[in-house]
Amino acid sequence: MDVSQFAYPAMVYAHLLLFVLWLGADVGVFVLGQHFRRREAYTLDQRIALLKLLVEIDMVPRSAWALMVPLSLSVVDLGGWWDVPAWLSIAAWAIGLFWLWLVWDAHKHDMTPRAARNRAIESWLRWIIGGFYLWLGGQSLITGGPLIPDWLAWKALLFGLIFVSAIMIDVTFKPVGAQLTAVLEEGSSDATEIPLRRTMDRTRIWVWMVYLLLLVTAFLGNTKPML
């Protein structure tokens, strides 16, 4: 097997590995969040420790998300599903690696203006990339190209919807910072805990949506049904 023959299965393997890391770690984040909600079972200090662990594990799906963008286009290109323009492949890898740097740099400098700047840039990137995948999938389904198999067009469209849902997780979760500060400063009570619980409940809707879309997308990629 020469390098060109090895490249495609290697990229498919990396693609599947990112999927496993994304979904697996995200389930871990979800479970930790469920335990954090149980104020009757844990002390406040224990719950804060769970939250810190949640934030660390959440770096895995966030990293996988960033790398999935260039990898998905490389798999499509090497598999002969779409002759991706060279400039687009280069741009995808540059953007994906830049996005990955933004994620980790913001994590390293959390609660600073630098982190806020990075996350603002990341937010714009996610909307733009999500819009690209929605366009790519929709355009291919309507006109028959550039993604010719319908299953692949649907996969691109669903990936765009994953972007929207994942973005909504962050949007819905945003009040948690102030609500958690209230719990720390004023203590655990119904007045401080109920608003926090409601925010987390609303966020869970989008979390389940991401899980569902990831599973459907993976099913399409593995079965390649004739739609």
Side-chain angles (χ1 to χ4, degrees), residues 30-48 50-51 54 183 188-190 193-194 196-198 200-201 204:
F30 180 81
V31 171
L32 287 170
Q34 291 297 100
H35 282 273
F36 172 80
R37 291 151 52 93
R38 296 170 55 189
R39 59 177 170 138
E40 73 284 351
Y42 300 98
T43 66
L44 184 56
D45 286 343
Q46 289 173 330
R47 292 169 66 208
I48 295 302
L50 288 173
L51 193 61
L54 180 155
V183 173
S188 178
S189 66
D190 286 348
E193 293 278 3
I194 290 177
L196 178 60
R197 178 70 176 261
R198 286 174 179 165
M200 297 186 77
D201 286 343
R204 284 198 304 171

Side-chain angles (χ1 to χ4, degrees), residues 114-184:
R114 176 169 175 167
R117 179 207 63 190
N118 287 353
R119 288 175 179 137
I121 297 172
E122 183 191 353
S123 179
W124 278 104
L125 276 179
R126 290 183 299 182
W127 278 114
I128 293 170
I129 298 170
F132 165 75
Y133 278 98
L134 288 173
W135 168 84
L136 181 62
Q139 173 78 3
S140 298
L141 287 171
I142 293 170
T143 66
L147 302 178
I148 297 175
D150 282 351
W151 65 264
L152 186 56
W154 275 108
K155 190 177 179 184
L157 185 65
L158 292 174
F159 193 36
L161 291 177
I162 288 173
F163 269 81
V164 175
S165 299
I167 289 168
M168 289 307 301
I169 290 175
D170 286 347
V171 171
T172 311
F173 198 73
K174 191 173 183 179
V176 163
Q179 292 166 346
L180 185 59
T181 299
V183 173
L184 294 174

Side-chain angles (χ1 to χ4, degrees), residues 11 15 67-79 82-85 88-93 132-133 136 147 159:
M11 282 293 178
H15 190 67
L67 291 175
M68 191 68 84
V69 172
L71 263 174
S72 64
L73 290 179
S74 294
V75 169
V76 168
D77 189 21
L78 291 172
W82 174 29
D83 186 15
V84 180
L88 182 57
S89 293
I90 295 171
W93 277 103
F132 165 75
Y133 278 98
L136 181 62
L147 302 178
F159 193 36

